[in-house]
Amino acid sequence: MSILSDLFGDIAALFFPRRCAVCGEPLSPGERMLCTLCRTTAPLTGYWREADNPVARKCWGVVPVEHASGFLFFVHSSGWRLLIHGFKYRGAWRTARAMGEWYGRCLSESGLYDDIDVVVPLPLHPFKRCRRGYNQSEYIAEGIAAQLGVALERRCVYRRRNTASQALKPRRERARNVEGAFAVRHAERLAGRHILLVDDVMTTGSTLLSCAGEILRAVPDCRISLAALAVSQRELGLDR
């Protein structure tokens, strides 16, 4: 059976070669999701190795977080934008999980996230989740949790308001748009734990910080850290 399976796999690869999620070139044997060139030239931030980094500074004076980092810079004119849009809007959820695994390995190697107890994905409103079919942040969080060897908690934090897209809002209105949008249930599952709150893309940080603040209000004895798969250089003040 395995011989037939391998044969059909080889035939499928011949006519429908797997392609890199960034550049679109066919993947070589042993490559997964990304070609070697794109993986080695990825716009990684390195922030997961630094307690003091631009993402962490976005939180200062707003929400008391333990650590905060982003994995990639969101580069608008590159294939990395296509990769992110692939799992946000075109159903490529396997890419989201694979990227979460890569990020999770880096978080694990850094040593700063060794005492994380539970990973929580930023929730989607049920209407948006139903329309999209899944929450991409859950798959990123799933990959991270697997690499950190900790639990994934999908149901303790939820959206009680279906907010308009942050991408369509001016910077000044984004915090107001997500004010009161999140709530916590089963707070006892998070009590006394160090939570890693995960999102796909962080621009101004309003959404992540609003959610983190609500968790801390509902569960005052927890600790919280933030992880975004991609971050905006412009919003971090790094493109000047």
Side-chain angles (χ1 to χ4, degrees), residues 51-68:
D52 178 2
N53 66 68
V55 177
R57 289 177 213 137
K58 292 283 286 187
C59 308
W60 291 356
V62 182
V63 175
V65 302
E66 299 288 312
H67 300 293

Side-chain angles (χ1 to χ4, degrees), residues 3-234:
I3 295 175
L4 284 176
S5 177
D6 291 342
L7 178 61
F8 285 128
D10 290 341
I11 293 172
L14 180 64
F15 290 101
F16 306 101
R18 295 177 303 118
R19 294 185 177 275
C20 174
V22 173
C23 69
E25 291 296 313
L27 293 176
S28 299
E31 293 179 334
R32 179 189 173 205
M33 184 184 66
L34 301 174
C35 68
T36 300
L37 178 61
C38 286
R39 186 175 289 272
T40 56
T41 59
L44 303 180
T45 68
Y47 292 163
W48 60 89
R49 294 188 291 261
E50 308 167 10
D52 178 2
N53 66 68
V55 177
R57 289 177 213 137
K58 292 283 286 187
C59 308
W60 291 356
V62 182
V63 175
V65 302
E66 299 288 312
H67 300 293
S69 69
F71 188 53
L72 301 164
F73 290 118
F74 187 79
V75 182
H76 285 272
S77 57
S78 79
W80 291 96
R81 180 175 181 268
L82 297 178
L83 177 144
I84 291 168
H85 281 193
F87 62 68
K88 279 180 73 76
Y89 307 119
R90 295 195 294 275
W93 58 267
R94 290 181 180 84
T95 303
R97 194 185 194 284
M99 291 300 295
E101 290 173 350
W102 187 9
Y103 193 5
R105 285 192 293 273
C106 292
L107 291 171
S108 179
E109 292 165 3
S110 78
L112 293 176
Y113 298 82
D114 287 350
D115 62 346
I116 293 292
D117 298 305
V118 61
V119 177
V120 173
L122 195 84
L124 280 180
H125 188 272
F127 177 77
K128 285 185 178 177
R129 184 189 178 100
C130 182
R131 186 173 62 185
R132 184 172 295 170
Y134 62 93
N135 176 2
Q136 69 278 0
S137 294
E138 281 191 12
Y139 285 109
I140 297 168
E142 187 178 292
I144 290 174
Q147 295 301 312
L148 292 180
V150 301
L152 175 67
E153 179 53 72
R154 295 181 174 89
R155 302 188 182 278
C156 284
V157 183
Y158 66 98
R159 287 208 193 216
R160 54 186 173 192
R161 282 201 301 109
N162 186 19
T163 56
S165 172
Q166 290 287 76
L168 303 176
K169 296 286 183 181
R171 183 185 306 182
R172 294 177 182 176
E173 294 183 18
R174 292 188 180 189
R176 191 180 311 119
N177 184 46
V178 293
E179 186 176 345
F182 300 98
V184 175
R185 58 188 164 210
H186 305 302
E188 70 280 358
R189 297 183 187 175
L190 302 178
R193 309 184 84 182
H194 186 179
I195 301 161
L196 182 64
L197 182 63
V198 173
D199 197 9
D200 56 355
V201 180
M202 174 180 168
T203 49
T204 64
S206 297
T207 305
L208 263 176
L209 292 172
S210 176
C211 188
E214 185 57 42
I215 294 171
L216 288 168
R217 278 188 291 274
V219 194
D221 65 339
C222 77
R223 296 181 296 141
I224 196 160
S225 291
L226 308 180
L229 183 67
V231 292
S232 166
Q233 285 181 287
R234 181 179 62 186

